[in-house]
Amino acid sequence: MAGTRLKPEREAEMYAAVLDLLRELGYDALTMDAVAARTRSSKATLYRQWGSKPELVVRALRHNKPAAFQEIDTGSLRGDFHAMAELSDDCKMEEDAALMRSLLHVVHENPDLHRALRELLVEPEMTGLGILLRRAVDRGEVAADHPAFPFVTHMLVGAFVARQLIEDKAVDRAFLSDYLDAVVLPALGV
Amino acid sequence: MAGTRLKPEREAEMYAAVLDLLRELGYDALTMDAVAARTRSSKATLYRQWGSKPELVVRALRHNKPAAFQEIDTGSLRGDFHAMAELSDDCKMEEDAALMRSLLHVVHENPDLHRALRELLVEPEMTGLGILLRRAVDRGEVAADHPAFPFVTHMLVGAFVARQLIEDKAVDRAFLSDYLDAVVLPALGV
C-alpha cells in the first residue's frame, strides 16, 4: 500500500468498526461513507489505504483471524491440526461463521468481493495449510503422494458447511476436534 | 396430495418445464403464472397438485434425480458408493450443480424454499444414505460405532462445495470416484 501507513492500533480500531458495521448493516448497506463516519476518518483516507470497499471488508475479516496456519508448528500433524482447532474460541467461531454466511449470500452479485475473499482470505489459508502439510511430509508422517493429500481442504470445508446445512449450527472446537480425529487424520493415515 | 393425480408422463413434462423456467428466469422471477403458461395448465391445477411454488420447484428437482440411494444395493459399501457416483453423467451433475447454486443464492430470502429443500430433498437423501450405511454395518463391513460414521454426509458435502469454491468446477464422476477411494472409504476403515 502506498502512502503513510496507519498505526497498528488505529488500523485494528478501524477493522473492528468495519466488522461492527457489517454485522449491523450487512454488506450492501455498508458504505465507505458509513465507515468514514463511524471511524471519524475521511473517505479519502479509506480509499488511499484500502483502495475499495471489498478490500477493506476482507482485510477487516482477515485481521480478525487469530493466526495464520503456517505459524502453528507443534512438531506433529495431529498436534498442528488440533492447534488449528484451538485458535478460536466457540463464540468467535460462531460470530465468524455468521459473518461469512452473510457475505456468501451477496458474493454472487459482487464479483469484486468474491475476488477479494478468494485472494486475501481463501488462498492465504490454503497456502498456510499447504505449508503445514508439507512439514508433515518432511517429517515422514505422510507420503507426499498420499491419495487423500489433495482433499484436505475439501474435508475441512465439508465440516463447516455441512454442520451448518444439516444441523443448523456453526462448527465449535469440540466438533472440529472430533472431526479431525474421526475423518481428516484417518483419511491421511495418521 | 388430495384430488385427481396427474398421469406420470404429464407430471414429468411439467417438472421438466419448471426446471427449464428455473434455468431461464431464476427462482425469483419464476411465477406460478409463468409455469401455467409454459405448461398450458391452470394455476388452480398447479396449486391443487403442489400447494406452493417452493414445493413445485423442489419436487421438480427431486424428480430430476436419478434414483434414491437406498435403491442401490451392490453387496458392498465400496460398490454402493461407486454406484452412487455413477448414477449421473457429468453433464447432468454440472447442470444439477448450477441449479443448486442458483437456489442456494436465494434460500436465505425464501424460508419456505429452504424448508422445502430440507424436507423434500436433503432429508430423504440423508435417510437413503443412512439405509445404505446400515446395510454395511449389518454385513459387518463397518462397526456401528465407527467414529467416522456420523460424518459421511459432511465428507460428501465437502467434496461438492469445496470443488466449486476452490477449483470453480462442479464435481464430476472421476473426481467423486477418486474422493470416495481417497477420503470416504479410508476414513470409514473400508
Side-chain angles (χ1 to χ4, degrees):
Chain A
M1 252 165 284
T4 49
R5 295 280 327 205
L6 296 176
K7 286 204 184 118
E9 310 79 58
R10 176 65 176 144
E11 204 180 340
E13 206 178 281
M14 302 203 39
Y15 287 145
V18 169
L19 296 184
D20 284 342
L21 284 168
L22 191 59
R23 279 182 210 102
E24 291 165 29
L25 304 174
Y27 182 79
D28 288 329
L30 181 153
T31 60
M32 291 300 244
D33 281 311
V35 176
R38 178 72 60 99
T39 59
R40 296 164 200 275
S41 54
S42 72
K43 267 171 69 175
T45 304
L46 298 180
Y47 280 107
R48 194 173 52 243
Q49 291 286 330
W50 287 283
S52 71
K53 166 176 147 182
E55 175 137 0
L56 172 56
V57 168
V58 175
R59 290 211 180 264
L61 285 168
R62 190 161 97 168
H63 182 83
N64 191 40
K65 294 223 144 278
F69 294 153
Q70 65 267 34
E71 289 164 26
I72 299 171
D73 194 2
T74 65
S76 77
L77 188 59
R78 174 178 300 272
D80 285 358
F81 273 156
H82 281 281
M84 247 171 60
E86 301 289 315
L87 279 179
S88 272
D89 62 41
D90 289 349
C91 283
K92 196 164 172 324
M93 285 170 104
E94 169 86 54
E95 258 184 47
D96 285 353
L99 278 175
M100 285 307 294
R101 271 201 307 284
S102 74
L103 287 182
L104 289 176
H105 288 149
V106 296
V107 114
H108 62 299
E109 289 147 4
N110 294 282
D112 290 342
L113 174 64
H114 199 170
R115 197 173 317 116
L117 278 171
R118 196 183 282 246
E119 284 171 15
L120 300 175
L121 214 60
V122 178
E123 283 172 10
E125 295 228 320
M126 288 188 60
T127 304
L129 190 61
I131 291 169
L132 198 146
L133 288 167
R134 212 164 320 123
R135 277 198 223 111
V137 171
D138 293 343
R139 284 190 301 259
E141 287 188 89
V142 193
D145 59 353
H146 194 287
F149 222 76
F151 300 124
V152 174
T153 328
H154 299 74
M155 293 187 249
L156 292 173
V157 166
F160 286 84
V161 176
R163 188 154 213 237
Q164 195 68 54
L165 206 72
I166 299 163
E167 302 173 63
D168 219 354
K169 274 192 237 174
V171 161
D172 54 35
R173 282 179 168 199
F175 178 88
L176 198 51
S177 173
D178 287 350
Y179 189 80
L180 288 167
D181 286 335
V183 170
V184 185
L185 290 161
L188 287 167
V190 176
Chain B
M1 253 165 283
T4 49
R5 297 281 325 208
L6 295 176
K7 284 203 185 121
E9 310 80 58
R10 177 65 177 144
E11 205 179 339
E13 203 178 282
M14 301 198 47
Y15 287 145
V18 169
L19 296 184
D20 284 343
L21 284 168
L22 191 59
R23 278 182 212 102
E24 291 165 29
L25 304 175
Y27 182 79
D28 288 330
L30 181 154
T31 59
M32 290 300 243
D33 280 311
V35 176
R38 178 72 60 99
T39 59
R40 295 164 202 274
S41 53
S42 72
K43 267 171 71 175
T45 304
L46 298 180
Y47 280 107
R48 194 171 56 240
Q49 292 285 331
W50 287 285
S52 71
K53 168 177 145 180
E55 175 138 359
L56 171 56
V57 167
V58 175
R59 289 208 181 267
L61 285 168
R62 189 160 98 170
H63 183 82
N64 192 38
K65 293 222 144 277
F69 293 152
Q70 65 266 34
E71 289 164 26
I72 298 170
D73 195 0
T74 65
S76 78
L77 187 59
R78 175 177 299 271
D80 285 359
F81 274 156
H82 281 282
M84 247 171 60
E86 300 290 315
L87 279 178
S88 273
D89 62 42
D90 289 348
C91 284
K92 197 167 172 323
M93 285 170 105
E94 169 86 55
E95 258 185 45
D96 285 353
L99 278 175
M100 285 309 293
R101 271 201 308 283
S102 73
L103 287 181
L104 289 176
H105 287 149
V106 296
V107 114
H108 62 300
E109 290 147 2
N110 294 281
D112 291 341
L113 174 65
H114 199 171
R115 196 174 317 117
L117 277 172
R118 194 182 284 247
E119 285 173 13
L120 299 175
L121 214 59
V122 178
E123 285 174 8
E125 294 227 321
M126 289 190 60
T127 304
L129 190 61
I131 292 170
L132 197 147
L133 287 167
R134 213 164 320 123
R135 275 197 225 114
V137 172
D138 293 343
R139 282 189 303 259
E141 286 187 89
V142 193
D145 58 355
H146 193 287
F149 222 76
F151 300 124
V152 173
T153 328
H154 300 73
M155 293 186 248
L156 292 173
V157 166
F160 285 85
V161 175
R163 186 151 214 240
Q164 194 68 54
L165 208 70
I166 300 162
E167 301 172 64
D168 219 355
K169 273 192 237 172
V171 161
D172 54 35
R173 281 177 169 200
F175 178 88
L176 197 51
S177 174
D178 286 350
Y179 188 80
L180 288 167
D181 285 335
V183 170
V184 186
L185 290 161
L188 287 168
V190 175

